[in-house]
Amino acid sequence: MKDAETYRYRWVVLLSASFVCSLTWGLAYTIGLFYVSWVNEFNAGSGEVAVIGGINTGISCIFGPIYDAIHRRLGYRRAGALGGILVAVGNIGSSLATNLYVLGFFYGGVQGFGFGLAYFGASLAVNEYFFRQRTLAEGMVTFGSGAGGFGFTMLSQYLIVSYGWRGALLILGGIALHVVLLFQLAFTPDQLHWLELDWESTASVKDRRRVTLENGQRDTNDDKSMVSDEYSESIDQENRIWIRRCINLFRNPLFLLMLCADLLCWTGIYVPYVHLPKRASLLGIEPTSIAWIASSMSLSMSVGRLVIPGICSMLQIDPFYAYGFVNGVAGLLTALCPLLKTEIGLYCYAISYGFFNAAVPLIRASVASLLGPDAFSMVYGWIISINGVGLFVGPALAGLLYDITQTYDVSFYTSGAALIMCGLLVLLRKKVKGTEKAFKLSEEAIG
């Protein structure tokens, strides 16, 4: 089979993956608006309600290795579609919630797991088709999450005003079902030959398909028990290889450095999306303006996630160093946010912070370029798993600090410090330089 990066159909897959990110993370970024409604609806503390968002985003990431296993069994088309169904079920169930426990189960658990399955599938689809242009491709994919955050924030604000938060979640659940359709377009490179979707002359494809069907008809009377035994042995062998690869992976200093840096990153990066609307409300800013502030952060994020990876790709900048830089800048901006107490000031913070929130495409490009595309599924599964820990801890801790201090100053200081520490940790990359080759060789040895 020819190099997958030469297929023109890869742009269809890239566009589908971008829309999946728009529908998943775009919905996740609207939590700040629902957060305000839930505090009033359930008469709960900020820390309690923030846990709901932490569960949602945490579960969407923390089960990374499980998502990897599901996708290896079902393939990313079917597993991603299942994720879209779970997102819809989570939203619809949340609209019927009568207490925080039910809300936590559906919005936090069910929807969060669906987010993770769908988002992981989109990442795998891009990994199949892009390597040399990986940083640019990741930027284009995650552009969708920012654009979706902007669109869904404005839409959610309108729906909450028009139909209440319950009606808004119900409608958004229906929209989320489009994830199922998008994954039906994400064919694998192998499938393109049989479906004649590589947009080239494939005269021999029909002959290969005919021979396969004839062979299949002749083999229908084969011993099914023998096939079942062989399948079981294959699964056992695959599991043993996966465990050995994981052990090898956690011996790699470069991977461990990525893991620690990303834990700090995601402990701080999501806090503004959850708590900035509430902080704006406490400053007396109107709800419509709050929605625009949240939307401007998502819109500028979409621009930043396209521009920054594009610059890195053109200038051949190491994506891991760029990842550390953008996190350091975002952390500094967040640490200064408590000094901004006007509507204009919050607009300036939201736009600048959103632009430098380009960590996602850069860390994904770093995984592929430093540890190899063949190891991407397993490595990224563990990366997003540690993301989930940070996403769960960060917003919940920020809400708890607000309940204790009755001000968001300490919450934003803590968030900013975590991001700055992430940026500084990346500078240790030189200390572990040279481990990439050893890792790739060991992968080949056990593969």
Side-chain angles (χ1 to χ4, degrees), residues 17 20-21 24-25 60-61 63-72 76 79-80 113-127 183 364 375-385:
V20 169
C21 288
T24 53
W25 278 106
S60 69
C61 296
F63 291 117
I66 295 178
Y67 300 145
D68 177 30
I70 293 174
H71 280 278
R72 283 190 287 113
Y76 56 73
F113 197 84
F115 277 163
L117 270 181
Y119 184 64
F120 197 86
S123 301
L124 294 184
V126 174
N127 184 66
F183 270 105
R364 283 163 54 168
F376 179 83
S377 178
M378 181 181 65
V379 174
Y380 192 62
W382 287 107
I383 288 286
I384 68 168
S385 180

Side-chain angles (χ1 to χ4, degrees), residues 174-312:
I175 295 175
L177 285 173
H178 287 80
V179 171
V180 179
L181 300 178
L182 290 168
F183 270 105
Q184 303 317 300
L185 298 175
F187 295 105
T188 66
D190 291 337
Q191 291 172 322
L192 295 185
H193 286 291
W194 301 104
L195 298 171
E196 302 182 29
L197 288 175
D198 54 348
W199 299 349
E200 295 179 357
S201 176
T202 54
S204 61
V205 170
K206 294 181 180 179
D207 293 334
R208 291 200 303 269
R209 186 181 298 169
R210 176 179 54 78
V211 171
T212 301
L213 290 174
E214 290 175 356
N215 291 337
Q217 292 174 355
R218 290 196 296 267
D219 293 341
T220 52
N221 295 322
D222 287 350
D223 188 353
K224 295 182 179 180
S225 62
M226 181 180 297
V227 174
S228 178
D229 291 342
E230 291 178 353
Y231 178 77
S232 299
E233 292 178 2
S234 176
I235 293 298
D236 290 341
Q237 183 180 8
E238 183 179 344
N239 289 336
R240 287 195 297 270
I241 291 175
W242 184 85
I243 293 173
R244 283 154 52 193
R245 283 178 171 171
C246 284
I247 294 173
N248 178 68
L249 181 64
F250 276 90
R251 291 174 177 170
N252 186 299
L254 181 58
F255 169 73
L256 295 177
L257 177 64
M258 285 183 169
L259 213 60
C260 294
D262 226 38
L263 174 61
L264 289 169
C265 168
W266 286 94
T267 299
I269 202 171
Y270 199 54
V271 169
Y273 290 96
V274 177
H275 293 284
L276 188 61
K278 178 66 180 297
R279 181 171 184 267
S281 177
L282 294 173
L283 293 173
I285 298 174
E286 293 296 322
T288 303
S289 297
I290 293 174
W292 275 106
I293 290 172
S295 295
S296 64
M297 184 159 53
S298 295
L299 182 62
S300 63
M301 179 182 67
S302 65
V303 175
R305 288 186 173 183
L306 191 61
V307 172
I308 293 176
I311 293 174
C312 292

Side-chain angles (χ1 to χ4, degrees), residues 1-22:
M1 186 182 70
K2 69 178 184 179
D3 183 3
E5 203 163 16
T6 64
Y7 286 116
R8 288 177 290 176
Y9 192 80
R10 66 192 173 127
W11 299 109
V12 176
V13 175
L14 183 64
L15 187 62
S16 299
S18 182
F19 276 115
V20 169
C21 288
S22 177

